[in-house]
């Protein structure tokens, strides 16, 4: 019979004879198999050295969304990339002192030397781009703030005369000074930029001042730096998973072999990632733990069956050395086929995520699927080769003599599966989960990923209290033709939009070319308050801009208007970044633009907070598609392999329960639905299918063997292994709870642990109970 044809159990899997032949070939050539595996691992390990953790905002965003598509326009036209805001506040008194201004000057000079700074965006009381506008005999006197302050002018007076800078480079009462700049990306990530700038910021710290750091760059950099905790947490996860295995098998080999499979698979995948140049990010940096846990889980299923087969052969009087090798063959013969099924189902489910637009989900799906398939290859080649060379287990660790809490627990579960109480229990779980779904909040605020007590949140709160805000929303007004920005009608429209936006709760400051033109007009008219108005004609606007360039530097305006005077940049500083609020603010801005802009003019919205709002808009839809897609893959393959729609439905049942319970936890605990938490349900479906497949396969095997109590045997054998796996995954991810202050890791620790236990327990109880009660035809058919 062909190894790919329908076998005697009626499924499209390699036949048992093919599995036995393969395993015996591996054992015969074991040294070659081991050498080849180790060689591949060495090469992969060398390539993995190139791996790094980098946050790429584009990777987590839907590129077709207009808020995301506007990013390249804003960057190309105005240089608006990743903002950094540093505030300096004296412990006592005013910040308008030579000592405090000297600190600002030192930091400004240091930032100007950084290779990543976008020079025309640098603003501070010491920046050459920050200029006071006054009248002169020739028209306008445009001089750097620093020079005017050195002449003895009070800062509060300068800010009152040049309100564009109030609550931007300094608080209006001059109690706090600030340095603001935009930075380009760095191939080594945003954390690398922060590390590069840290010495300059630390140099201005002393006991006389408090220094706070904020902005989009700071948030992204901190996410990267917190994600690097995985370097410490991954070894701890390995240790804890090893302890679970030791408790399960009570042997060194039981501890080591699953971890060997998992570690080799992990090294292979990290090597491929390193060779491809694709970095880890915060959302897939935990993929190594997932691969580690899933790979170890499949190894546990084989190892558990190996101990059963060895125990049986030893009782039959077979010599230990021969029994060892025959147990290896028998374990793969009986479980390997379903390990292939479970691995392929999980891998295809994760690989299907590559159909999605968001790049980080594609990366997560591809490398997780690749890791599962790598573990499958290792478990079917390297591990049987190695297992056959190791000494047989000692009698004290064989299955029949190894009392454990796992056996007691599964016996207790089996004893209660013949009553309807199990169905009542899970119906209540589903009801409670569904009741919380309306309470789920979709939220992609970057700031909310950190605890209130972290330095980032404390600094952010201080900045928002002193200045206009730490986050920026950009409205780019396009006049539709060159010189359109000089048109008084369009300028008045921009002013109207700016005024409306400034009155919104949570908006602390707005800045545009309108502010500068009003100041120019007022200065020309002798500084009279009545002339704090816009120029009356396009010619007058052009004249003011020319005078500004002659006295100052027209490049100062590069972040406000483009060279052709077709586009203007309205900057809105925000004290909040919660996505739902930002979505409402953007809707308001769009309404104001529609209301005020003349025909031919349009608006483009961008910035980090706008990108998060874009993610909010598509996340729920993509999340549901994501779950449905993986579920469809799992269902179709399960139906095909077991040749039964009922079997496919049984595989899906515990997964559906786990997903509903997962959403219920989000709602009841107030955990937001965002990119990292949205991946957890997909993981629960992809991984949880393993439990159902192994249990169905074992129950069917026991029925066909004529076992009078297939339910108890299934629960106490394959069911035990499922509990081992669920515990290992939960414990592995549980180490993320130690990532104090970083909610992304802590949410994953809680939600993945709960998803694994719920899917395992639902499979362990519902599937055997339903099979026992209804005895579907596919269980008995050959």
């Amino acid at each position: 019979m062909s190894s790919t044809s329908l076998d005697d159990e009626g499924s499209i899997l390699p036949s048992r004879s093919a599995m036995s032949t393969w395993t015996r070939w591996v054992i015969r050539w074991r040294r070659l198999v081991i050498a080849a595996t180790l060689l591949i691992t060495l090469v992969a390990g060398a390539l993995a050295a190139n791996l790094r953790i980098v946050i790429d905002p584009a990777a987590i965003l839907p590129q077709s969304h207009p808020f995301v598509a506007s990013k390249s326009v804003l960057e190309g036209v105005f240089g608006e990339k990743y903002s950094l805001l540093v505030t300096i506040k004296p412990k006592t008194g005013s910040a308008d002192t030579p000592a405090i201004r000297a600190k600002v000057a030192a930091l400004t000079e240091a930032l100007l030397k950084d290779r990543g700074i976008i020079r025309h965006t640098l603003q501070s009381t010491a920046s050459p781009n920050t200029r006071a506008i006054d009248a002169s005999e020739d028209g306008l006197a445009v001089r750097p703030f620093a020079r005017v302050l050195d002449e003895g002018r009070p800062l509060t007076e300068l800010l009152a005369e040049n309100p564009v800078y109030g609550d931007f480079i300094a608080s209006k009462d001059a109690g706090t000074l600030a340095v603001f700049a935009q930075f380009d990306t760095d191939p080594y990530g945003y954390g690398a930029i922060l590390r590069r700038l840290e010495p300059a910021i630390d140099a201005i710290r002393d006991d006389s001042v408090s220094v706070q750091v904020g902005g989009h760059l700071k948030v992204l950099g901190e996410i990267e730096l917190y994600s690097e905790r995985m370097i410490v947490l991954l070894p701890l996860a390995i240790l804890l998973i090893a302890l679970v295995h030791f408790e399960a098998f009570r042997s060194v080999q039981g501890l080591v072999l699953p971890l060997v499979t998992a570690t080799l698979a992990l090294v292979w995948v990290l090597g491929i990632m390193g060779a491809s140049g694709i970095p880890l990010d915060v959302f897939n940096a935990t993929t190594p733990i997932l691969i580690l846990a899933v790979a170890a889980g499949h190894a546990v299923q084989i190892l558990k069956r190996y101990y059963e087969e060895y125990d049986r052969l030893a009782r039959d009087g077979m010599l230990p050395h021969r029994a060892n090798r025959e147990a290896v063959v028998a374990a793969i013969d009986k479980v390997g086929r379903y390990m292939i099924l479970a691995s392929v189902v999980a891998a295809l489910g994760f690989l299907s995520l590559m159909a999605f637009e968001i790049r980080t989900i594609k990366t997560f799906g591809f490398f997780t699927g690749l890791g599962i398939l790598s573990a499958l290859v290792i478990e079917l080649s390297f591990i049987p080769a190695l297992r056959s060379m190791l000494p047989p287990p000692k009698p004290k660790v064989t299955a029949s003599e190894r009392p454990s809490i796992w056996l007691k627990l599964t016996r207790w579960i089996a004893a209660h599966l013949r009553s309807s109480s199990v169905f009542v229990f899970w119906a209540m779980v589903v009801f409670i989960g569904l009741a919380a779904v309306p309470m789920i909040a979709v939220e992609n605020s970057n700031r909310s990923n950190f605890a209130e007590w972290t330095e980032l949140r404390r600094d952010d709160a201080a900045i928002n209290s002193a200045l206009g805000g730490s986050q920026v929303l950009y409205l780019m007004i396009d006049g539709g033709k060159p010189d359109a920005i000089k048109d008084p009608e369009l300028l008045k429209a921009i002013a109207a939009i700016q005024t409306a936006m400034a009155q919104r709760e949570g908006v602390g400051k707005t800045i545009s070319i309108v502010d500068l033109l009003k100041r120019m007009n007022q200065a020309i008219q002798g500084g009279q308050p009545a002339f704090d108005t816009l120029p009356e004609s396009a010619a007058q606007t052009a004249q003011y801009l020319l005078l500004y360039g002659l006295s100052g530097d027209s490049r100062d305006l590069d972040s406000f208007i483009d060279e052709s005077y077709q586009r203007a940049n309205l900057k809105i500083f925000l004290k909040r970044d919660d996505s739902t609020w930002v979505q409402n603010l953007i809707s308001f801005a769009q309404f104001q633009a529609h209301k005020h802009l003349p025909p031919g003019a349009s608006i483009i919205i961008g910035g980090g907070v706008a990108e998060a709002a874009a993610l909010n808009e598509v996340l729920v839809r993509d999340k549901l598609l994501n779950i449905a897609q993986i579920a469809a893959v799992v269902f179709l393959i399960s139906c095909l392999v077991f040749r039964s729609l009922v079997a496919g439905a049984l595989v899906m049942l515990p997964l559906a329960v786990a997903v509903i319970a997962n959403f219920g936890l989000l709602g009841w605990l107030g955990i937001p639905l965002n990119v990292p938490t949205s991946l957890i349900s997909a993981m629960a479906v992809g991984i949880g299918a393993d439990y159902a497949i192994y249990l169905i396969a074992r129950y069917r095997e026991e029925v066909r063997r004529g076992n009078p109590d297939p339910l108890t045997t299934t629960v106490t054998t394959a069911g035990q292994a499922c509990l081992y796996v669920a515990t290992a995954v939960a414990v592995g991810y549980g180490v993320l709870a130690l990532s104090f202050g970083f909610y992304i890791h802590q949410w994953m620790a809680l939600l993945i642990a709960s998803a694994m236990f719920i899917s395992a327990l639902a499979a362990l109880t519902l599937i055997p109970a339903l099979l026992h009660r209804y005895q579907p035809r596919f269980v008995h058919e050959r």
Side-chain angles (χ1 to χ4, degrees), residues 148-169:
V148 179
L149 289 170
D150 288 343
E151 293 173 357
R153 292 276 296 279
L155 178 58
T156 51
E157 182 180 311
L158 271 183
L159 294 174
E161 292 176 355
N162 298 270
V164 66
Y165 298 114
D167 286 343
F168 176 27
I169 64 165

Side-chain angles (χ1 to χ4, degrees), residues 310-322:
Y310 180 84
D311 187 59
R312 177 181 60 81
L313 294 170
R315 287 199 310 270
D316 290 343
M318 187 177 291
L319 293 175
H321 179 73
R322 185 181 175 191

Side-chain angles (χ1 to χ4, degrees), residues 406-417 715-716:
W406 310 94
L407 183 58
K408 294 177 182 178
L409 177 60
T410 51
R411 282 175 176 170
W412 182 87
I413 291 173
H416 291 79
L417 292 185
V715 173
T716 57

Side-chain angles (χ1 to χ4, degrees), residues 551-598:
S551 179
D553 190 336
S554 60
R555 290 175 296 182
D556 299 342
L557 306 179
D558 285 353
S559 63
F560 295 99
I561 51 177
D562 68 348
E563 292 181 356
S564 65
Y565 303 104
Q566 178 174 326
R567 302 181 183 95
N569 189 17
L570 170 55
K571 304 180 185 183
I572 304 171
F573 288 82
L574 309 178
K575 297 178 183 289
R576 299 173 57 177
D577 76 337
D578 41 308
S579 302
T580 302
W581 177 82
V582 172
Q583 282 179 296
N584 292 332
L585 183 68
I586 289 173
S587 296
F588 179 76
Q590 292 170 326
F591 169 77
Q592 292 297 322
H594 178 75
K595 176 180 178 182
H596 295 291
L597 289 179

